Amino acid sequence: MQSNTSGPQTEILNVHDCWKYLRSASVCRVAVTTDGESEIFPVNYIPDYGTVVFRTGPGTKLDAVLGGSPIALEADGLNTYGTIAWSVVIKGTAAVVDSQEDFQEAADAGLSPWEAGSKDHLVRVTPSEVSGRSFVINPSSRWWPPLDAGQL
């Protein structure tokens, strides 16, 4: 990890560490643009051989993928003690995967829809850019002014 000018305890994650953190989480946000409008959706996902895979049904996400729109994903998390936060962003392209073998691999890896409804489309995001950072979480007293006793 390298220091960043964002703060004295902010670290820029290398690609290896980004993938390590992505494997430790299961939910991210997917950002797509359709008809000039940006949309963001939470999805559960799995990292898969240098790509990220998620399932979706008909709608905005699928339309954006089929339309060739760029895609971005962001996953965040905390260490076990809640003292270090991390964030990883993937930018790239997405494609619908039709292979039954890919569906089976995703299912075997634990990818299954959390929300009711048809999620029959498997989407694979191939990164063109992977970036991330981690930082020590400051005590709230450092960023939130204490309340005056008269305000309670």
Side-chain angles (χ1 to χ4, degrees), residues 16-85:
H16 174 76
D17 287 334
C18 288
W19 285 105
K20 177 183 77 172
Y21 283 118
L22 285 170
R23 286 189 299 274
S24 74
S26 60
V27 177
C28 69
R29 286 165 303 288
V30 171
V32 296
T33 303
T34 55
D35 299 327
E37 296 289 325
S38 298
E39 299 280 351
I40 300 173
F41 303 92
V43 298
N44 59 313
Y45 71 94
I46 58 165
D48 186 51
Y49 303 107
T51 66
V52 173
V53 178
F54 65 91
R55 290 179 64 168
T56 192
T60 304
K61 292 185 295 290
L62 183 60
D63 292 346
V65 170
L66 293 174
S69 197
I71 193 165
L73 293 86
E74 181 180 27
D76 306 295
L78 303 170
N79 69 349
T80 305
Y81 306 106
T83 57
I84 298 176

Side-chain angles (χ1 to χ4, degrees), residues 116-131:
S118 172
K119 307 285 190 234
D120 296 335
H121 301 279
L122 187 65
V123 175
R124 180 178 308 280
V125 178
T126 302
S128 56
E129 181 181 330
V130 178
S131 62

Side-chain angles (χ1 to χ4, degrees), residues 1 3 56 62 75 78 83 88 92 98 103 106 112 114 117 119 123 137 144:
M1 287 195 250
S3 289
T56 192
L62 183 60
L78 303 170
T83 57
V88 173
D98 293 327
F103 265 96
S112 63
W114 287 1
K119 307 285 190 234
V123 175
I137 299 171
W144 192 267

